[in-house]
Amino acid sequence: MTQTTLAGPGHQPGEPGRADKPGSSDGLQAGLKNRHLSMIAIGGVIGAGLFVGSGAGIAAAGPAILLSYALVGLMVVFVMRMLGEMAAARPSSGSFSAYADRALGRWAGFSIGWLYWFFWVVVLAVEATAGAKILEGWVPGVPQWAWALIVMVVLTATNLVSVSSYGEFEFWFAGIKVVAIAAFVVVGLLAVFGLLPGSDNPGSGLAHLTDSGGFFPHGPGAILTGVLMVVFSFMGSEIVTLAAGESENPQRAVQKATNSVIWRIAVFYLGSIFIVLTLLRWNDASILKDGSYVAALNSIGIPHAGQVMDVIVLTAVLSCLNSGLYTASRMAFSLGERGDAPKAFARTNKRGVPRAAILSSVVFGFVAVFFNYQWPDTVFQFLLNSSGAVALFVWLVICFTQLRMRGIILRESPEKLVVRMWLFPYLTWATIAMISFVLVYMLTDDSGREQVLLSLLVAAIVVAISLVRDVRQRRAGAAAVTADASTDA
């Protein structure tokens, strides 16, 4: 293995030898092609949660769940615009963690980097288990834990080979998701307006949006309940800014991803949920029983809808696992490079793969999978809840970081400010207010309260560790200076 140049405490993103180096990012190889980045950007916002969890949101808010998705989608658009502004100027494998390190301080980069890594390691266990359940249903002779192991090993191998193998797998995984949802929206629209030949659905147009208790069957307040239920299905849109550092043209990739996030959310989230709500009444029992997308397909008369959706959900699960492992390893790599993790994490082999960072992430992922099978209702539930609000913490840190980074970029390299946050700083502060409101509102919800409090507890522990490290490093530095002065005297 060859070792990359490690970044010391004062080595900042954007300096020579780091993310601004053409064709590479911090010792990583530029192995992702433009088509890989495009599909990662498109598929990044489509998680398994959209297919599996949307039914509960519809039951809780009725047709008003569309406004819940729109509000969260708007929040994500703003956050991605802010992140795109920083990433286009300074592509980095550490993305927002590296920017927070520069703009807010070492403690911020350390804390949000490790919290984000923790979030994705827990996601690995969740997705591996979800995929194993589907595969066990197809091949019951193989136990569920064995399927989880097989899935993790295969995707670990692809990530270890090269970044291009990750990109290729993700290209096809994301491609299947995109084609599936696009087909669902087109076929669904035809059925909604009675234009689909052979459809079993009567095609009621837009009537189902209001014919069962109105658009707000549970009152306008249910919109906020819906927000809590859908917000976490959007996590992953920021992955493209981490991957951009290993692309052929990072700045162009970030620009395209940032500019396309609006239509991606509009089509894949709002478009597909709109189809479900117009094909069926929101309180149709099949939405919760079979899942929203399966219920919609069954209403049209699509044969084997359940099996078709199982394939799509499995693809989404594998895509999430693939990207989760990639994301966790690159964040670990960046932390190692900045001296906030073991130095071994910042080493790459001759193919530019951070092997130690990948394997360490996989090991903790396996441990989490073990906890899920051994203590699902205690230890693993704690892991789930303590990482539950991390997505919102990440978005909040991105907002505060962008407020500072705009001035730094303008001062040091204004020509690189090719993507700009709209109405700066007003929309940035408005986004901070929106995210803060969601966090506070979660405290009024029984399940949300536990997630916020436990996530805050974990965050407080990580921040405390970071502050203690900073104090020790400063003392060690002061002691070294004193010792040098005494020697010179």
Side-chain angles (χ1 to χ4, degrees):
M1 298 174 79
T2 58
Q3 186 168 346
T4 62
T5 302
L6 297 179
H11 202 52
Q12 303 297 355
E15 293 181 2
R18 284 189 55 118
D20 293 336
K21 183 180 178 183
S24 69
S25 173
D26 312 325
L28 302 173
Q29 297 296 318
L32 293 176
K33 296 181 172 63
N34 287 331
R35 66 183 179 87
H36 293 152
L37 263 293
S38 296
M39 198 56 75
I40 289 170
I42 294 172
V45 294
I46 309 171
L50 173 63
F51 300 107
V52 179
S54 54
I58 292 172
I65 195 68
L66 284 170
L67 297 182
S68 303
Y69 274 103
L71 281 173
V72 178
L74 188 66
M75 201 159 62
V76 171
V77 166
F78 291 159
V79 169
M80 279 297 293
R81 187 73 185 183
M82 286 180 254
L83 186 53
E85 176 181 296
M86 297 182 286
R90 297 182 176 179
S92 169
S93 60
S95 189
F96 49 84
S97 173
Y99 309 142
D101 189 304
R102 177 74 193 274
L104 304 179
R106 293 294 306 283
W107 68 271
F110 176 96
S111 303
I112 204 63
W114 277 114
L115 285 172
Y116 192 67
W117 178 87
F118 172 59
F119 171 86
W120 280 109
V121 166
V122 175
V123 167
L124 290 180
V126 174
E127 300 297 342
T129 304
K133 286 181 179 177
I134 295 174
L135 290 167
E136 186 189 30
W138 294 348
V139 188
V142 179
Q144 193 179 117
W145 65 265
W147 278 121
L149 180 66
I150 291 168
V151 166
M152 290 277 279
V153 167
V154 169
L155 292 179
T156 300
T158 65
N159 275 265
L160 284 171
V161 171
S162 67
V163 68
S164 61
S165 63
Y166 154 72
E168 200 63 36
F169 267 72
E170 192 56 27
F171 176 82
W172 292 106
F173 286 154
I176 292 171
K177 291 188 294 184
V178 169
V179 169
I181 293 189
F184 177 80
V185 170
V186 172
V187 171
L189 273 177
L190 292 174
V192 164
F193 295 104
L195 302 175
L196 184 68
S199 172
D200 294 343
N201 193 288
S204 303
L206 305 182
H208 288 329
L209 294 177
T210 54
D211 63 4
S212 298
F215 191 75
F216 301 99
H218 299 306
I223 296 173
L224 294 176
T225 303
V227 164
L228 301 188
M229 302 184 80
V230 306
V231 66
F232 302 109
S233 64
F234 283 83
M235 193 66 173
S237 53
E238 70 289 332
I239 291 174
V240 69
T241 63
L242 280 80
E246 294 177 81
S247 69
E248 298 165 338
N249 190 335
Q251 192 177 77
R252 180 171 175 268
V254 169
Q255 279 184 279
K256 286 183 64 177
T258 304
N259 293 334
S260 65
V261 70
I262 297 175
W263 71 259
R264 286 185 277 135
I265 288 173
V267 172
F268 298 131
Y269 279 86
L270 290 174
S272 61
I273 297 299
F274 173 81
I275 294 300
V276 173
L277 290 167
T278 47
L279 284 174
L280 297 164
R281 289 182 173 86
W282 68 269
N283 54 0
D284 192 300
S286 64
I287 291 179
L288 276 179
K289 178 176 175 288
D290 302 323
S292 55
Y293 289 84
V294 173
L297 291 173
N298 282 333
S299 77
I300 297 173
I302 302 293
H304 309 294
Q307 291 91 326
V308 170
M309 194 52 61
D310 272 349
V311 173
I312 296 169
V313 171
L314 179 63
T315 303
V317 164
L318 295 176
S319 171
C320 193
L321 257 174
N322 196 36
S323 290
L325 180 53
Y326 172 84
T327 305
S329 66
R330 271 24 176 211
M331 187 57 72
F333 170 86
S334 179
L335 288 166
E337 191 187 37
R338 286 178 275 142
D340 291 334
K343 289 184 178 181
F345 287 8
R347 297 192 185 106
T348 59
N349 61 19
K350 61 184 180 181
R351 293 187 301 274
V353 175
R355 185 182 297 170
I358 291 174
L359 292 176
S360 62
S361 301
V362 171
V363 166
F364 280 94
F366 276 128
V367 170
V369 170
F370 173 75
F371 286 154
N372 193 13
Y373 286 109
Q374 192 67 28
W375 301 290
D377 299 323
T378 52
V379 178
F380 189 71
Q381 192 61 41
F382 171 80
L383 290 178
L384 276 180
N385 287 330
S386 59
S387 64
V390 166
L392 294 171
F393 295 167
V394 167
W395 294 345
L396 208 52
V397 167
I398 289 172
C399 294
F400 282 111
T401 300
Q402 190 260 341
L403 285 172
R404 298 288 300 275
M405 279 298 290
R406 168 67 74 92
I408 294 172
I409 296 169
L410 284 174
R411 185 170 63 251
E412 297 180 356
S413 48
E415 73 282 357
K416 293 183 178 179
L417 197 62
V418 294
V419 175
R420 289 175 179 262
M421 176 59 183
W422 307 296
L423 298 177
F424 177 83
Y426 308 109
L427 267 186
T428 300
W429 281 110
T431 308
I432 289 171
M434 290 168 65
I435 297 170
S436 301
F437 178 80
V438 172
L439 282 168
V440 172
Y441 188 77
M442 285 179 72
L443 293 173
T444 68
D445 179 76
D446 290 338
S447 60
R449 185 184 307 114
E450 188 173 9
Q451 287 189 21
V452 171
L453 294 177
L454 286 177
S455 297
L456 281 172
L457 173 63
V458 172
I461 292 171
V462 175
V463 170
I465 293 171
S466 173
L467 294 175
V468 169
R469 286 178 73 258
D470 284 351
V471 170
R472 287 182 174 177
Q473 287 174 353
R474 281 197 296 270
R475 286 178 179 172
V481 170
T482 303
D484 289 342
S486 300
T487 302
D488 293 339

